Amino acid sequence: MSVLVVLLAVGAACCLGLGFVLQQDAARRAPLRDFLSPRLLLDLMRVPSWLAGIGLMVCGMVLGALALGNGELSVVEPLLATNLVFALALSRRLTGQRLGRQGWGGLWLLAGGVTAFLLAGQPQGGRADTDPLRHWLVVGTVAGLALLLTAFARHPRTRGTPVLLGLAAGLLYGLQDALTRVSGEKLTEGGWPALMAGWQPYAVVVLGVTGLILVQSAFEAGPLRASLPALTAAQPLAGIVCGIGFLGDRVRTDTGALAWEAAGLAAIVAGIVLLGLHPAMPEGRDRHGSTAVGGVGLDGPHDSGR
């Protein structure tokens, strides 16, 4: 496992985590009439904190793409899950909340889970699977599950909507990471003509825009503590499935290694949930659609358009 890959992935996680906090602060005050609509992005473009959050997110995606170009997806994805640590750090600074047992417990579970999975699984790259049926089966399953979750989350005032949209966006981002790596390999091997001749780079753009709309709608519909844990947990799981499913990533499969890998993934999810539910995480719109007082409020009062 390259030190460069670790630094790039952690740097990407830092940018993503900080960016998510800034985006949610703006999205929670956006008009609900723009829920799950591209108009939501146009409305948010007028908010300085959201633009700053998007800038950080773009930086994170670039660093993540560089990490994927130099390492295996099954290594990079668990490291990207640490974005929640940086989101909590910024939220804690803005709210003045202490970490406490819940915060420290979540941090140790997340860090220990990532370490256990990487050490036990020892992910390595291999030849990508060329069977189109297997390729499309994995892609279709991940994308179809995201579509199903979105269909269940059509009503912005439902309590579970932020969680469902966070899960859907995380699945799409995990799939996007996999196709980003495929696109990078095409560019390296055949140059720009080979890259543009494939469908993967266009799918990366579509998945990115769709995921962005889902994320902002999740941020708009509820507090960060509801949507970000789901997003952060789903992305690495989807990425690992894609990495092993059709990108040729390999992990150890003996009984002891599988047990530790499963324990590591469970610890990652548990740590993400504990950190996401920490009191330092900003509140947001309550179940009736009003804005909670505990928000970050970086841009001052907004006209929510209601």
Side-chain angles (χ1 to χ4, degrees):
M1 184 166 52
S2 168
V3 174
L4 176 62
V5 172
V6 174
L7 292 176
L8 288 172
V10 173
C14 177
C15 293
L16 291 172
L18 299 180
F20 285 145
V21 175
L22 297 178
Q23 290 170 47
Q24 195 271 343
D25 178 64
R28 68 185 176 87
R29 289 170 284 179
L32 278 177
R33 65 173 179 269
D34 292 343
F35 181 73
L36 288 178
S37 168
R39 294 193 307 270
L40 176 60
L41 302 183
L42 298 177
D43 185 67
L44 291 172
M45 285 180 183
R46 297 177 291 177
V47 184
S49 66
W50 187 82
L51 293 175
I54 288 296
L56 285 168
M57 184 178 182
V58 170
C59 290
M61 294 176 69
V62 170
L63 291 174
L66 292 174
L68 291 169
N70 290 276
E72 288 72 43
L73 194 65
S74 301
V75 171
V76 175
E77 288 293 354
L79 293 172
L80 290 179
T82 61
N83 74 76
L84 198 60
V85 175
F86 299 100
L88 179 62
L90 177 57
S91 297
R92 177 177 174 271
R93 181 176 181 83
L94 293 170
T95 61
Q97 288 277 356
R98 299 178 59 183
L99 281 180
R101 293 181 179 179
Q102 180 178 344
W104 284 112
L107 287 174
W108 282 111
L109 279 172
L110 181 55
V114 170
T115 302
F117 177 82
L118 295 179
L119 291 179
Q122 297 180 8
Q124 296 179 353
R127 292 181 60 86
D129 195 289
T130 56
D131 181 8
L133 178 60
R134 180 172 176 175
H135 192 112
W136 284 108
L137 181 62
V138 176
V139 172
T141 300
V142 175
L145 184 55
L147 181 62
L148 185 63
L149 290 169
T150 304
F152 282 120
R154 289 176 299 175
H155 303 291
R157 297 180 190 275
T158 304
R159 184 180 294 275
T161 291
V163 177
L164 294 175
L165 291 180
L167 287 172
L171 292 174
L172 293 185
Y173 280 151
L175 180 57
Q176 181 191 36
D177 290 340
L179 297 182
T180 296
R181 187 174 124 180
V182 174
S183 300
E185 292 173 351
K186 284 181 174 290
L187 180 62
T188 301
E189 295 172 0
W192 287 101
L195 175 65
M196 303 311 293
W199 59 271
Q200 289 86 355
Y202 307 103
V204 167
V205 175
V206 172
L207 289 172
V209 174
T210 304
L212 186 61
I213 294 174
L214 293 180
V215 167
Q216 304 310 315
S217 295
F219 290 166
E220 179 188 26
L224 196 64
R225 65 183 64 174
S227 55
L228 191 54
L231 168 66
T232 306
Q235 182 173 353
L237 295 178
I240 290 171
V241 167
C242 291
I244 296 175
F246 63 84
L247 289 178
D249 286 2
R250 295 173 297 173
V251 295
R252 293 174 58 193
T253 55
D254 56 276
T255 304
L258 287 175
W260 278 105
E261 290 163 26
L265 290 176
I268 290 173
V269 173
I272 286 170
V273 172
L274 280 178
L275 291 176
L277 296 176
H278 193 277
M281 284 295 183
E283 290 284 354
R285 212 184 295 278
D286 65 20
R287 62 184 298 181
H288 302 294
S290 62
T291 301
V293 178
V296 178
L298 297 174
D299 293 304
H302 287 259
D303 181 6
S304 64
R306 287 181 191 81

